[in-house]
Structures are given as C-alpha cells and as structure tokens.
Amino acid sequence: MKNNNLFAALRAAFPADLDSVAVETDQGQNYSWRDLDRASAMIANLLVSLDLPLGTRVAVQVEKSVEAMMLYLATLRAGYVFLPLNTAYQSAEIEYFIGNAEPAVVVCSRKNFSWVSQIAFKAGTRHVFTLDDDRTGSLLERAAHCSDMHEVAHSDADDLAAILYTSGTTGRSKGAMLSHGNMLSNAQMLKSYWGWRTPAQGGDVLIHALPIFHVHGLFVAIHGALINGSKMIWLAKFDPRLVLQKLPEATVFMGVPTLYVRLLAEPGLTLEACKNMRLFIAGSAPLLIETFNDWKARTGHTILERYGMSETIMLTSNPYLAADGGRLGGTVGFPLPGVSLRVRGDDGQDLGAGEIGGIQVKGPNVFKGYWRMPEKTREEFTADGWFKTGDVGKVDERHYVTIVGRSKDLIISGGYNVYPAEIEGYINDIPGVAESAVVGVPHADFGEVGVAVVIAKPGAQLDGQAILARLKSQLANFKIPKRCEVVGELPRNTMGKVQKNLLRDQYKAAFTKA
Ligand code: MLC
Ligand code: AMP
C-alpha cells in the first residue's frame, strides 16, 4: 500500500548528491542532505524507542535552529504528531496547550526546563527533553546513541501529522489538526504553481528568515525547499541587512508584509541586489498596495501575494506565470489548483462577482477539524462541507480574490494573530477594571497593532502603563497592546454592545504618523 507519510515524499525529493549543501546557516554551518536524513533518523529512533502510542503528540517550544527542523522531520518520519509552540508563549499559555493536547513528549529550551517540565509532568507527559539553538540539550545527547538508519513509518493520507493552535474568537485556542495528505497535497501543488526549480533544472535557493512555529515558516517555506531539493539559507532571526547580504546567493524569499516594509527601509535594497532573485512571496497578513508598488519600483520585482491559514495551509495565490494573468496588488490571486472557494452572504446565499461576503473553502488541504472540539468543528463547517474561513472578501470576474476584512474579531500584527477576546479576558481580571475593549489599528511597521481601552470600577484608580506591564508578565509579547487608555465610557449601540468600529476610528492615526 502507498505510504502517504509526508517525510517519505520530502526524502524522495532530496537531490542525488546527498553530500551537497541542504542548509547553510548565518552561523557559518553547512548541513548536507545526508545530515538531514541521518540526524532526523536518529531523533526518530529516539522517539520510537520511547514506545509511544500511535498518534502521540510531540510538543516543541524551542528557538529556531536546523536541529529543531530535524526534530520536526523526525516526528513526521516516526509517524507522530508535531505540535509547534511560539517561543513567546508564557507559562499560562503553555499550560493550556499542554493540558489540551496531552503530548507524551515535550521539548523545550534549557532555560525554560524547570517551569515547562513542571507543567508537562503535571499534565501527564512522560518525557521532557531540552534542545537549544547551539546544538546542545538532552534530545541530541540521547539521539546520539541511536542508529542513523530509520525506515519511514507508514501513514495514510488522513493520519495526523501536526496540530497548530490558532486562537479562538472566544479567547480559547483551538488545535487545527492537519494530516499528511493535507500537507503533501499543498506542497506538491505549490511546487508546480510557483515554478520551483529542482537541482536538475538549475536549482532554487530559499532565504528562510521566518519563525518555524507557524504555517508560513514551518510548512510553506520548509516543505517548499525540501520537496524541490532546494538549498536554504537559514537565518535564526529576520535581519534586513543580513537578508540583503544573502540576496545575491538566493532565488526565492518569503515573508510577512512587515519583513518587506523593513527591507524597503534599507538603502541597500536595489535592482542590483535583487538581480539574481526569481521570486518574492508575501502573505499571512494584508500587503499594503504602497509596499507592493514601492517594491516593484526599487527592485524590479512584483511581489507574489498569497493567502492561507493554519487550518488550510495555502488557499489562493497570485500567478507565477504572466501567461496565467498578472500579479495584482491588493488581491491574493486565484484559488490554487484543487482548492474551491466561494463567497456567501449572511443568509447563506452564493454571491456574484464583486459582491462582498464570507469566504468559504474546500479542498484536499482543508484540515480535519479542531482537536477535541467536535462542536467547534461543526460550527466552522457548512452542512455541505465547506470551511468558513472567517475572512470577508470578494471574487472578481477574472477570479482574483480580494480580502476586505474579517468577520472574526482578530488583529494580525506583524503576521501574528492576536485575539482581542483573549487580551480583554486578562485585562478584565485586573483588580479595579470594570470592562475593556481591544481593537486593531494601523501601524507603519507591524501593519496592525492592538490598542486597549479600559474602564475602571467606581472609585478605582487605573494606570494604562501598569496594565500593560501586568499583561507583559502573563502573555506572549506580540499580544501586548501598544497603547492602553483608561476612559470614562465605551461607545455602545442601542443594544448596549461596544462599538469597536468607533474605537478603531478614534485611534486609527495613533501609529501611522511619522
Ligand atoms: C515583535 N513584537 C511585535 C511583533 N513581533 N509586536 C507586535 N507584533 C509582532 N508581530 C514586539 C515585541 O513584543 C517586542 O516588544 C519588540 O517588538 C521586539 O521584539 P523582537 O522579537 O525583537 O521583534 P522582531 O525580531 O523585530 O520581530 C518582528 C517580526 C516577527 C516581524 C520579525 O514578529 C516575525 O517574525 N513575524 C512573523 C510572524 C509569522 O511568521 N507569521 C506567520 C503566521 S502563519 P517589547 O515591548 O517587548 O520590546 C499564517 C498563515 C499564512 O498566518 O497565511 O501564512
Ligand atoms: P493563522 O490563523 O495564523 O493561520 O492566520 C490566518 C489568517 O491570516 C487568515 O484567516 C487571514 O485573515 C490572514 N491572512 C493570511 N494571508 C493573508 C493575506 N495575504 N492577506 C490578508 N490576510 C491574510
């Protein structure tokens, strides 16, 4: 029977010359394809030796490193389920994820071992390993004793490969369950749609500058390079000057819009610097038309904007080939081959070209549901099996999709999702707070950031800075509102509901002026 394990397909695409460079890091290390194969086999053998049940979750909160990617590949090839966690998450957030996912294995950095292991052991996790970004930690120490030969586990297309937590509108995160089939179909389709060149076709080189705990950096970028046998230039952290330095050796770059904004601020971004590049891809948040136009003027390249989600990986993309239509700024392009997309009105009726409504999708890339939340899963799918993205948009006569807003109350800041309901919950727990509202406003660097507007209980004295300081000790740093205002009252409609649109309007220029 055919093995649908994603790793088997990635491994089959490794170039014939296994000693050629697969990953070159900004620390001057080179990893060959053989290194990726052997090290992921050793870690997979370590996991297998733990005698874990099928479907075991491996939760990972570590700094970006090539070894962290190898751990991901090892989890796939051993047939377990990878659960990546943002390094910014703090103890309450980690406690929720571990309690909800019940991983049998947790891997964290050494500096966090004492509190992470305490949470994990309390939740019933049997194995907690450490992994740091300098190739040290108990995971690698233990794996060093394991064989470097490992037969890839058999997986069906529907078997789970990863769980990605994505925040919910009620403030509780939901684990999106992605299968080997979801990821493989998407990776294979993007291979041809974005015109990746295998080594035999001259090869591509990807600058990997994104974090590896979300869809963009972990799946779109890593699968894209590996399934094409393409080399990666691996940056531990995004640094615009380093990217510029590496551009002449690369052909493909992927980034959230903030990365493009920051690169544009560098005088070294020129036609000359980009002349070897084949493709610049942007996504995860709206790309402003100014950024799109400025980029074209400065580099001669038209950014290819695409649209995706944790629940679906990639959904739409502007075309790679001019023959398929141009790359249209302000749009996210066409539904990708195999993906069906429709726009529905509030009453569930199909909308025509140019009409604005809720975006719904179907396809082999659409996830299997939310981990242990059958109710939530049912709510997010229509009776005829379409996934409701929560994004609001339109499709024009030529089939270009434009996202105009979101029905979900969500802020996307520098490519990270922040759910106001979660932040409001924390603010409302602060003594003296009667009520709060968090809204997203435009920001020149992050695209959008949160502003918290708070009402004090009668007689209570509140200070905006003190509220932010308290939030900082509880939540991932990117979720902290960039401003907190204590006010007398919140604008409400006749039903008594807070009118967030009025607050957004009130603070809309707070971060856009020079
Ligand atoms: C950092 N900070 C942010 C932030 N990132 N604030 C708001 N939004 C963000 N995204 C704040 C920190 O809290 C800190 O504040 C200060 O900025 C410096 O932190 P840093 O870690 O040094 O920041 P920096 O390295 O500059 O990071 C910015 C960034 C990063 C843009 C490089 O946020 C990033 O890598 N974003 C990419 C996210 C991503 O990969 N998304 C893909 C999701 S997948 P203070 O006050 O503490 O000093 C998805 C699906 C799809 O959406 O379609 O792809
Ligand atoms: P996440 O849950 O982190 O995977 O974020 C997915 C959300 O990011 C989508 O539902 C969209 O709202 C948003 N998104 C992704 N790509 C784009 C894009 N190119 N333009 C606008 N929004 C985007």
Side-chain angles (χ1 to χ4, degrees):
M1 214 170 43
K2 185 173 179 251
N3 189 357
N4 287 292
N5 187 296
L6 170 64
F7 180 79
L10 300 178
R11 176 64 186 84
F14 282 16
D17 179 6
L18 285 179
D19 292 315
S20 59
V21 177
V23 186
E24 173 194 314
T25 74
D26 51 1
Q27 303 299 310
Q29 278 117 20
N30 283 340
Y31 294 79
S32 67
W33 294 92
R34 195 184 302 283
D35 292 335
L36 296 192
D37 189 31
R38 288 184 52 212
S40 62
M42 291 163 88
I43 303 173
N45 281 323
L46 167 62
L47 295 175
V48 169
S49 75
L50 303 176
D51 209 13
L52 307 167
L54 269 177
T56 284
R57 278 79 59 210
V58 178
V60 178
Q61 189 197 31
V62 298
E63 296 298 333
K64 182 176 178 180
S65 69
V66 178
E67 287 69 26
M69 174 177 74
M70 288 165 168
L71 170 58
Y72 166 56
L73 299 178
T75 308
L76 288 178
R77 69 187 287 172
Y80 300 128
V81 181
F82 195 70
L83 197 169
L85 295 166
N86 194 319
T87 46
Y89 292 146
Q90 302 211 36
S91 58
E93 292 155 311
I94 294 295
E95 192 167 3
Y96 172 76
F97 296 127
I98 291 182
N100 188 251
E102 297 185 323
V105 179
V106 168
V107 184
C108 64
S109 44
R110 243 180 313 189
K111 71 175 179 358
N112 295 339
F113 179 78
S114 62
W115 65 268
V116 173
S117 61
Q118 208 174 5
I119 291 171
F121 292 139
K122 209 171 108 199
T125 298
R126 300 225 327 266
H127 309 278
V128 181
F129 295 102
T130 57
L131 175 63
D132 277 345
D133 56 2
D134 58 357
R135 286 168 290 149
T136 61
S138 59
L139 183 87
L140 298 180
E141 281 162 22
R142 290 278 302 273
H145 300 286
C146 298
S147 161
D148 62 1
M149 305 283 284
H150 171 267
E151 193 176 333
V152 180
H154 182 93
S155 304
D156 291 330
D158 278 339
D159 286 345
L160 281 197
I163 297 180
L164 292 197
Y165 274 88
T166 153
S167 299
T169 36
T170 53
R172 270 191 75 205
S173 286
K174 306 165 287 184
M177 299 188 289
L178 291 162
S179 67
H180 285 267
N182 290 148
M183 308 227 260
L184 185 53
S185 61
N186 216 239
Q188 281 169 334
M189 183 269 305
L190 291 175
K191 176 182 167 79
S192 61
Y193 199 76
W194 287 345
W196 282 89
R197 297 181 310 209
T198 60
Q201 296 161 322
D204 268 315
V205 177
L206 170 78
I207 296 184
H208 194 303
L210 287 163
I212 55 168
F213 28 69
H214 296 294
V215 159
H216 202 158
L218 183 62
F219 299 154
V220 191
I222 290 178
H223 296 168
L226 296 185
I227 206 160
N228 293 287
S230 294
K231 177 175 143 180
M232 283 186 263
I233 297 178
W234 187 266
L235 311 188
K237 208 172 171 319
F238 171 71
D239 170 350
R241 297 214 174 140
L242 199 49
V243 171
L244 287 182
Q245 204 182 312
K246 296 292 178 189
L247 279 180
E249 300 160 39
T251 59
V252 181
F253 178 79
M254 293 184 190
V256 300
T258 301
L259 272 51
Y260 287 94
V261 170
R262 292 188 183 182
L263 280 164
L264 277 166
E266 291 296 326
L269 183 78
T270 57
L271 281 173
E272 178 63 22
C274 298
K275 73 167 196 268
N276 196 37
M277 288 294 289
R278 179 175 74 78
L279 187 57
F280 287 98
I281 302 172
S284 308
L287 181 75
L288 292 183
I289 194 79
E290 298 91 85
T291 312
F292 177 86
N293 289 337
D294 290 352
W295 193 268
K296 192 163 187 185
R298 286 275 292 283
T299 69
H301 285 270
T302 308
I303 296 176
L304 178 154
E305 186 175 2
R306 84 328 174 259
Y307 156 55
M309 295 182 74
S310 302
E311 288 93 334
T312 63
I313 329 175
M314 294 299 96
L315 285 169
T316 74
S317 171
N318 271 281
Y320 172 62
L321 296 172
D324 293 337
R327 296 178 203 161
L328 221 57
T331 81
V332 292
F334 308 122
L336 284 160
V339 175
S340 306
L341 183 147
R342 71 185 186 189
V343 177
R344 287 257 154 140
D346 287 344
D347 303 329
Q349 77 281 22
D350 263 325
L351 296 180
E355 290 186 297
I356 292 173
I359 296 177
Q360 302 183 353
V361 294
K362 226 179 193 179
N365 53 319
V366 175
F367 74 134
K368 302 288 149 207
Y370 295 111
W371 172 254
R372 292 184 179 160
M373 289 189 186
E375 279 300 310
K376 203 76 209 150
T377 304
R378 264 194 296 280
E379 274 171 33
E380 303 299 332
F381 281 87
T382 63
D384 55 348
W386 292 70
F387 173 59
K388 301 186 240 175
T389 63
D391 292 306
V392 173
K394 59 184 179 179
V395 184
D396 72 12
E397 294 81 6
R398 294 171 301 165
H399 306 296
Y400 283 94
V401 178
T402 303
I403 298 172
V404 300
R406 301 167 203 128
S407 59
K408 47 194 175 192
D409 189 10
L410 159 70
I411 299 167
I412 303 186
S413 187
Y416 286 140
N417 289 6
V418 181
Y419 278 81
E422 182 186 15
I423 319 303
E424 289 159 6
Y426 277 85
I427 299 177
N428 295 346
D429 280 345
I430 297 175
V433 170
E435 201 186 352
S436 63
V438 173
V439 292
V441 299
H443 188 275
D445 182 33
F446 292 121
E448 201 180 11
V449 293
V451 169
V453 188
V454 180
I455 299 195
K457 281 185 176 151
Q461 287 293 321
L462 290 176
D463 169 57
Q465 285 309 316
I467 292 174
L468 293 181
R470 186 174 164 129
L471 292 178
K472 266 191 185 178
S473 68
Q474 296 173 304
L475 285 165
N477 58 7
F478 62 87
K479 295 183 187 171
I480 310 302
K482 299 286 187 231
R483 182 163 161 178
C484 180
E485 294 286 324
V486 180
V487 300
E489 60 180 345
L490 294 171
R492 294 177 189 282
N493 64 15
T494 46
M495 310 289 285
K497 200 168 175 278
V498 175
Q499 289 178 295
K500 286 197 164 181
N501 54 328
L502 296 183
L503 290 175
R504 269 182 222 113
D505 215 39
Q506 189 177 342
Y507 295 103
K508 70 176 180 217
F511 300 100
T512 47
K513 291 202 175 113

